[in-house]
Amino acid sequence: MDFIVSIFDWISGAGASVMMPIIIALLGIIMGAGVGKSVRGGLMVGVGLLGLGLATGLMGTMADAVAAMSARFGLTLSTIDVGWPAAAAIAMATKVGALIIPLCLFVNIIMIVVGATQTVDIDIWNYWHFAFTGSLIACVTGSLPLGLVAAVCNEVIILVLGDLTAPDLETTLGMPGVSLPHGFTAAFVPFALLLNWVIEKIPGLKDVDFSLEGLQEKIGVFGEPVIVGFVLGLVIAILGGYEVRAALSCAVTLAATMVLIPRMASLLMEGLMPISDAAGEFIDKNFKGKGKLYIGLDSAVGVGHPMTIALGLICVPILVFLAVILPGNTVLPAVDLAVLPYVFVLVLPICKGNGFRSLIVGLICCVLGLYIATDLAAPITSVAASIGFDMGGATSISSICDGANPLTWVLYKLGGFGTLSMVIFAAIAIACAVYNWLRIKKINAAE
């Protein structure tokens, strides 16, 4: 077991940009895409992921500007936003994290075989989201088995949500054959569905919409993503008290993210297309009657849509302001401000591309996330302390990703019922799997 765990630790430690090309290439060869196309596709995916990482990393400039703004206006809150890299490191350093990859792969394979999911989740690195949930529960309850069951329950729910949102993902973001079983992004889907339904019932409000395309039609070049990013970056920098050159540098950097992220996402999709086509043929040949399968990917591919980036950037100053004035909140968003576009990746398709509605829904989800991150600060701090994580002198830490994750919060609360929690988690996972199995069976029968 130690040997098996060490292998998966090595795979996980290689990083997504190294791990994903290998997985994609092997998958393509197995599906019959050919060695050449598979290797090229895998490398293009790796290049796209690396490029996305570099491009989204530029959004760290925004975090610096927000930090300067916070200092300028004396905005102080007691819980430190350590960011998703720290959250992932904490999750994968626990006992749950050590076992999460082989466990989740096994569960995904079983669900595919029995027809309980349409998603082949090859985004192995992001299994850390499931490990994060399981680690919180294992640490607080002192039960590793309970933590592992909670992590699997999290995975099953996310796979089902990935299946449910895949059709809208194709029509709105233009991503055929892909689902996004991302532990953070997909967790907001139930709330987005509910809020979108509520807005749809409100006369007048349901008809309000805006989009970058519509903005460009009205104001020409000034509605282009690069201009929108520049203006938003300049506003944030000015609020941060930057001098002219520094403010312009910040503005150009955020303008660059609006251009580079979609370009990098298109490279990633270019690498996936031959593999996706081969997968379709392979499924038709070997799994006739099983229905359509989706390749499960990191939601970073959806961040490539200009509207998701724009909504994320618009959300930044609003959320920081709300964080300061909301009663009971202790978290000031900082390091994880760069992940705000990820909130909108599935919100936008659920809202059928309606920019106004997506912004309202996304902001409500983010406000909910602030309170969740506040409530989860204590257990996250406990887990970090248990593995010797350097908190830099902070006495309370959390994050937006995954500390503000509503699904993690719900499962954590359910983990407080002791032995009964094991039954609750198992019942939820089985219920979700059976529901999805019946849904997929109905779809296949109709076809």
Side-chain angles (χ1 to χ4, degrees):
M1 177 60 73
D2 288 341
F3 175 71
I4 294 173
V5 170
S6 68
I7 291 175
F8 284 103
D9 278 345
W10 182 88
I11 293 173
S12 177
S17 61
V18 173
M19 179 176 62
M20 290 302 291
I22 297 172
I23 295 173
I24 291 292
L26 289 175
L27 187 62
I29 293 170
I30 292 171
M31 298 292 184
V35 175
K37 284 186 177 180
S38 299
V39 171
R40 182 185 182 278
L43 287 173
M44 289 299 288
V45 167
V47 169
L49 281 172
L50 188 60
L52 277 171
L54 292 172
T56 53
L58 292 175
M59 293 181 73
T61 301
M62 178 175 57
D64 294 338
V66 169
M69 181 181 68
S70 300
R72 185 184 184 196
F73 292 100
L75 309 181
T76 56
L77 293 169
S78 59
T79 301
I80 305 300
D81 171 18
V82 294
W84 76 262
I90 292 170
M92 297 305 281
T94 65
K95 291 180 180 179
V96 174
L99 297 169
I100 201 67
I101 292 178
L103 179 62
C104 287
L105 281 173
F106 176 75
V107 171
N108 190 199
I109 291 169
I110 293 299
M111 289 183 68
I112 292 168
V113 171
V114 301
T117 185
Q118 297 168 285
T119 294
V120 183
D121 190 2
I122 62 173
D123 185 23
I124 292 175
W125 163 249
N126 276 309
Y127 287 4
W128 76 261
H129 295 281
F130 312 138
F132 188 86
T133 300
S135 297
L136 289 183
I137 293 169
C139 180
V140 173
T141 63
S143 172
L144 176 60
L146 183 57
L148 291 172
V149 173
V152 168
C153 182
N154 193 343
E155 179 194 17
V156 172
I157 294 170
I158 293 298
L159 286 172
V160 173
L161 292 174
D163 290 348
L164 291 173
T165 53
D168 285 335
L169 196 67
E170 178 175 353
T171 55
T172 303
L173 301 189
M175 298 169 60
V178 169
S179 71
L180 301 180
H182 189 271
F184 176 66
T185 302
F188 291 98
V189 166
F191 297 96
L193 288 169
L194 175 61
L195 292 168
N196 182 61
W197 179 83
V198 170
I199 294 175
E200 188 64 34
K201 302 298 179 182
I202 302 175
L205 189 64
K206 67 178 183 179
D207 299 319
V208 181
D209 189 11
F210 72 79
S211 65
L212 290 182
E213 293 81 2
L215 195 61
Q216 286 177 241
E217 289 178 6
K218 292 180 180 179
I219 60 177
V221 68
F222 295 101
E224 291 187 8
V226 66
I227 303 296
V228 173
F230 179 86
V231 172
L232 287 172
L234 190 61
V235 170
I236 294 170
I238 291 172
L239 289 174
Y242 282 27
E243 54 93 15
V244 176
R245 286 179 299 180
L248 289 173
S249 176
C250 178
V252 171
T253 299
L254 290 183
T257 65
M258 295 288 284
V259 175
L260 293 175
I261 290 178
R263 299 283 173 86
M264 294 303 103
S266 67
L267 286 179
L268 194 151
M269 293 305 297
E270 180 184 333
L272 278 176
M273 287 315 297
I275 313 300
S276 179
D277 292 341
E281 295 176 7
F282 181 85
I283 291 163
D284 287 340
K285 182 179 179 181
N286 298 282
F287 296 91
K288 199 168 184 63
K290 286 286 185 181
K292 186 174 184 178
L293 288 183
Y294 301 107
I295 297 177
L297 296 175
D298 189 328
S299 57
V301 299
V303 175
H305 192 282
M307 198 63 184
T308 60
I309 313 168
L311 290 171
L313 289 179
I314 292 170
C315 192
V316 168
I318 300 174
L319 188 63
V320 171
F321 172 73
L322 290 174
V324 175
I325 66 170
L326 286 171
N329 172 59
T330 66
V331 180
L332 180 67
V335 179
D336 258 350
L337 285 171
V339 307
L340 289 184
Y342 285 70
V343 174
F344 295 94
V345 171
L346 290 178
V347 168
L348 188 64
I350 287 171
C351 295
K352 309 301 182 186
N354 185 312
F356 173 79
R357 193 178 300 183
S358 298
L359 180 61
I360 298 301
V361 171
L363 274 172
I364 293 174
C365 287
C366 288
V367 168
L368 173 68
L370 286 176
Y371 283 111
I372 290 172
T374 295
D375 192 52
L376 289 180
I380 291 172
T381 304
S382 296
V383 174
S386 72
I387 62 167
F389 180 79
D390 183 7
M391 293 185 283
T395 57
S396 178
I397 64 171
S398 193
S399 69
I400 302 303
C401 177
D402 254 18
N405 189 316
L407 180 54
T408 295
W409 181 79
V410 170
L411 293 176
Y412 170 75
K413 291 300 183 182
L414 290 175
F417 290 99
T419 306
L420 182 60
S421 298
M422 188 83 74
V423 178
I424 295 173
F425 291 144
I428 292 173
I430 292 170
C432 288
V434 170
Y435 160 77
N436 210 34
W437 177 77
L438 291 171
R439 186 188 66 85
I440 294 169
K441 187 176 180 181
K442 184 177 180 181
I443 292 172
N444 292 341
E447 295 176 350

mmCIF file of all heavy atoms in Angstrom, residues 346-365:
data_model
loop_
_atom_site.group_PDB
_atom_site.id
_atom_site.type_symbol
_atom_site.label_atom_id
_atom_site.label_comp_id
_atom_site.label_asym_id
_atom_site.label_seq_id
_atom_site.Cartn_x
_atom_site.Cartn_y
_atom_site.Cartn_z
ATOM 1 N N LEU A 346 -19.579 27.818 -14.459
ATOM 2 C CA LEU A 346 -20.830 27.068 -14.637
ATOM 3 C C LEU A 346 -22.069 27.919 -14.362
ATOM 4 O O LEU A 346 -23.162 27.568 -14.792
ATOM 5 C CB LEU A 346 -20.834 25.825 -13.740
ATOM 6 C CG LEU A 346 -19.854 24.722 -14.172
ATOM 7 C CD1 LEU A 346 -19.877 23.554 -13.198
ATOM 8 C CD2 LEU A 346 -20.164 24.237 -15.588
ATOM 9 N N VAL A 347 -21.891 29.037 -13.665
ATOM 10 C CA VAL A 347 -23.009 29.958 -13.448
ATOM 11 C C VAL A 347 -23.466 30.538 -14.785
ATOM 12 O O VAL A 347 -24.671 30.640 -15.059
ATOM 13 C CB VAL A 347 -22.618 31.092 -12.472
ATOM 14 C CG1 VAL A 347 -23.675 32.206 -12.483
ATOM 15 C CG2 VAL A 347 -22.453 30.545 -11.063
ATOM 16 N N LEU A 348 -22.522 30.916 -15.631
ATOM 17 C CA LEU A 348 -22.844 31.525 -16.936
ATOM 18 C C LEU A 348 -23.667 30.578 -17.819
ATOM 19 O O LEU A 348 -24.702 30.996 -18.367
ATOM 20 C CB LEU A 348 -21.557 31.959 -17.648
ATOM 21 C CG LEU A 348 -21.720 32.781 -18.927
ATOM 22 C CD1 LEU A 348 -22.388 34.117 -18.625
ATOM 23 C CD2 LEU A 348 -20.368 33.017 -19.598
ATOM 24 N N PRO A 349 -23.282 29.303 -17.971
ATOM 25 C CA PRO A 349 -24.117 28.385 -18.758
ATOM 26 C C PRO A 349 -25.500 28.165 -18.141
ATOM 27 O O PRO A 349 -26.496 28.060 -18.867
ATOM 28 C CB PRO A 349 -23.313 27.084 -18.763
ATOM 29 C CG PRO A 349 -21.914 27.499 -18.536
ATOM 30 C CD PRO A 349 -22.000 28.670 -17.610
ATOM 31 N N ILE A 350 -25.552 28.075 -16.818
ATOM 32 C CA ILE A 350 -26.848 27.881 -16.150
ATOM 33 C C ILE A 350 -27.772 29.064 -16.421
ATOM 34 O O ILE A 350 -28.980 28.904 -16.601
ATOM 35 C CB ILE A 350 -26.638 27.688 -14.638
ATOM 36 C CG1 ILE A 350 -26.034 26.303 -14.361
ATOM 37 C CG2 ILE A 350 -27.949 27.851 -13.867
ATOM 38 C CD1 ILE A 350 -25.589 26.094 -12.942
ATOM 39 N N CYS A 351 -27.193 30.271 -16.484
ATOM 40 C CA CYS A 351 -27.967 31.483 -16.769
ATOM 41 C C CYS A 351 -28.086 31.744 -18.269
ATOM 42 O O CYS A 351 -28.479 32.847 -18.685
ATOM 43 C CB CYS A 351 -27.332 32.691 -16.079
ATOM 44 S SG CYS A 351 -27.376 32.611 -14.276
ATOM 45 N N LYS A 352 -27.746 30.724 -19.081
ATOM 46 C CA LYS A 352 -27.873 30.791 -20.544
ATOM 47 C C LYS A 352 -27.114 31.967 -21.148
ATOM 48 O O LYS A 352 -27.563 32.588 -22.120
ATOM 49 C CB LYS A 352 -29.355 30.868 -20.960
ATOM 50 C CG LYS A 352 -30.238 29.807 -20.339
ATOM 51 C CD LYS A 352 -29.786 28.397 -20.673
ATOM 52 C CE LYS A 352 -30.716 27.342 -20.070
ATOM 53 N NZ LYS A 352 -30.208 25.969 -20.276
ATOM 54 N N GLY A 353 -25.957 32.289 -20.560
ATOM 55 C CA GLY A 353 -25.113 33.343 -21.108
ATOM 56 C C GLY A 353 -25.532 34.746 -20.739
ATOM 57 O O GLY A 353 -24.927 35.721 -21.210
ATOM 58 N N ASN A 354 -26.553 34.895 -19.893
ATOM 59 C CA ASN A 354 -27.029 36.212 -19.475
ATOM 60 C C ASN A 354 -26.029 36.807 -18.480
ATOM 61 O O ASN A 354 -25.913 36.344 -17.351
ATOM 62 C CB ASN A 354 -28.416 36.078 -18.828
ATOM 63 C CG ASN A 354 -29.039 37.413 -18.461
ATOM 64 O OD1 ASN A 354 -28.395 38.257 -17.850
ATOM 65 N ND2 ASN A 354 -30.293 37.607 -18.831
ATOM 66 N N GLY A 355 -25.312 37.862 -18.902
ATOM 67 C CA GLY A 355 -24.253 38.442 -18.086
ATOM 68 C C GLY A 355 -24.762 39.073 -16.801
ATOM 69 O O GLY A 355 -24.172 38.894 -15.730
ATOM 70 N N PHE A 356 -25.870 39.815 -16.883
ATOM 71 C CA PHE A 356 -26.419 40.477 -15.701
ATOM 72 C C PHE A 356 -26.854 39.456 -14.655
ATOM 73 O O PHE A 356 -26.518 39.552 -13.477
ATOM 74 C CB PHE A 356 -27.603 41.362 -16.097
ATOM 75 C CG PHE A 356 -28.340 41.951 -14.925
ATOM 76 C CD1 PHE A 356 -27.829 43.052 -14.252
ATOM 77 C CD2 PHE A 356 -29.535 41.388 -14.486
ATOM 78 C CE1 PHE A 356 -28.499 43.591 -13.153
ATOM 79 C CE2 PHE A 356 -30.210 41.914 -13.393
ATOM 80 C CZ PHE A 356 -29.689 43.020 -12.731
ATOM 81 N N ARG A 357 -27.604 38.459 -15.109
ATOM 82 C CA ARG A 357 -28.096 37.434 -14.202
ATOM 83 C C ARG A 357 -26.934 36.646 -13.593
ATOM 84 O O ARG A 357 -26.940 36.312 -12.403
ATOM 85 C CB ARG A 357 -29.049 36.500 -14.947
ATOM 86 C CG ARG A 357 -29.857 35.602 -14.038
ATOM 87 C CD ARG A 357 -30.823 34.735 -14.819
ATOM 88 N NE ARG A 357 -31.787 35.519 -15.585
ATOM 89 C CZ ARG A 357 -32.765 34.982 -16.296
ATOM 90 N NH1 ARG A 357 -32.889 33.660 -16.361
ATOM 91 N NH2 ARG A 357 -33.616 35.744 -16.963
ATOM 92 N N SER A 358 -25.929 36.349 -14.402
ATOM 93 C CA SER A 358 -24.755 35.614 -13.920
ATOM 94 C C SER A 358 -24.019 36.404 -12.844
ATOM 95 O O SER A 358 -23.552 35.831 -11.853
ATOM 96 C CB SER A 358 -23.804 35.312 -15.083
ATOM 97 O OG SER A 358 -24.411 34.485 -16.047
ATOM 98 N N LEU A 359 -23.916 37.730 -13.038
ATOM 99 C CA LEU A 359 -23.237 38.567 -12.059
ATOM 100 C C LEU A 359 -23.995 38.569 -10.730
ATOM 101 O O LEU A 359 -23.378 38.430 -9.661
ATOM 102 C CB LEU A 359 -23.104 39.999 -12.584
ATOM 103 C CG LEU A 359 -22.398 40.994 -11.657
ATOM 104 C CD1 LEU A 359 -20.963 40.543 -11.377
ATOM 105 C CD2 LEU A 359 -22.403 42.400 -12.251
ATOM 106 N N ILE A 360 -25.313 38.701 -10.781
ATOM 107 C CA ILE A 360 -26.127 38.695 -9.560
ATOM 108 C C ILE A 360 -25.999 37.356 -8.840
ATOM 109 O O ILE A 360 -25.755 37.295 -7.624
ATOM 110 C CB ILE A 360 -27.610 38.980 -9.884
ATOM 111 C CG1 ILE A 360 -27.775 40.366 -10.507
ATOM 112 C CG2 ILE A 360 -28.459 38.856 -8.617
ATOM 113 C CD1 ILE A 360 -27.287 41.503 -9.658
ATOM 114 N N VAL A 361 -26.157 36.272 -9.591
ATOM 115 C CA VAL A 361 -26.071 34.928 -9.015
ATOM 116 C C VAL A 361 -24.678 34.681 -8.445
ATOM 117 O O VAL A 361 -24.519 34.179 -7.323
ATOM 118 C CB VAL A 361 -26.416 33.861 -10.073
ATOM 119 C CG1 VAL A 361 -26.102 32.456 -9.547
ATOM 120 C CG2 VAL A 361 -27.883 33.950 -10.476
ATOM 121 N N GLY A 362 -23.653 35.067 -9.219
ATOM 122 C CA GLY A 362 -22.268 34.852 -8.777
ATOM 123 C C GLY A 362 -21.936 35.635 -7.515
ATOM 124 O O GLY A 362 -21.264 35.123 -6.619
ATOM 125 N N LEU A 363 -22.396 36.879 -7.444
ATOM 126 C CA LEU A 363 -22.135 37.701 -6.256
ATOM 127 C C LEU A 363 -22.805 37.115 -5.012
ATOM 128 O O LEU A 363 -22.208 37.082 -3.931
ATOM 129 C CB LEU A 363 -22.631 39.125 -6.485
ATOM 130 C CG LEU A 363 -21.659 40.075 -7.188
ATOM 131 C CD1 LEU A 363 -22.343 41.396 -7.519
ATOM 132 C CD2 LEU A 363 -20.418 40.316 -6.335
ATOM 133 N N ILE A 364 -24.026 36.644 -5.175
ATOM 134 C CA ILE A 364 -24.723 36.024 -4.038
ATOM 135 C C ILE A 364 -23.967 34.779 -3.584
ATOM 136 O O ILE A 364 -23.808 34.535 -2.381
ATOM 137 C CB ILE A 364 -26.179 35.680 -4.413
ATOM 138 C CG1 ILE A 364 -26.973 36.961 -4.650
ATOM 139 C CG2 ILE A 364 -26.835 34.841 -3.313
ATOM 140 C CD1 ILE A 364 -28.380 36.736 -5.170
ATOM 141 N N CYS A 365 -23.492 33.982 -4.547
ATOM 142 C CA CYS A 365 -22.705 32.790 -4.215
ATOM 143 C C CYS A 365 -21.425 33.178 -3.480
ATOM 144 O O CYS A 365 -21.016 32.507 -2.520
ATOM 145 C CB CYS A 365 -22.361 32.011 -5.487
ATOM 146 S SG CYS A 365 -23.758 31.127 -6.225
#
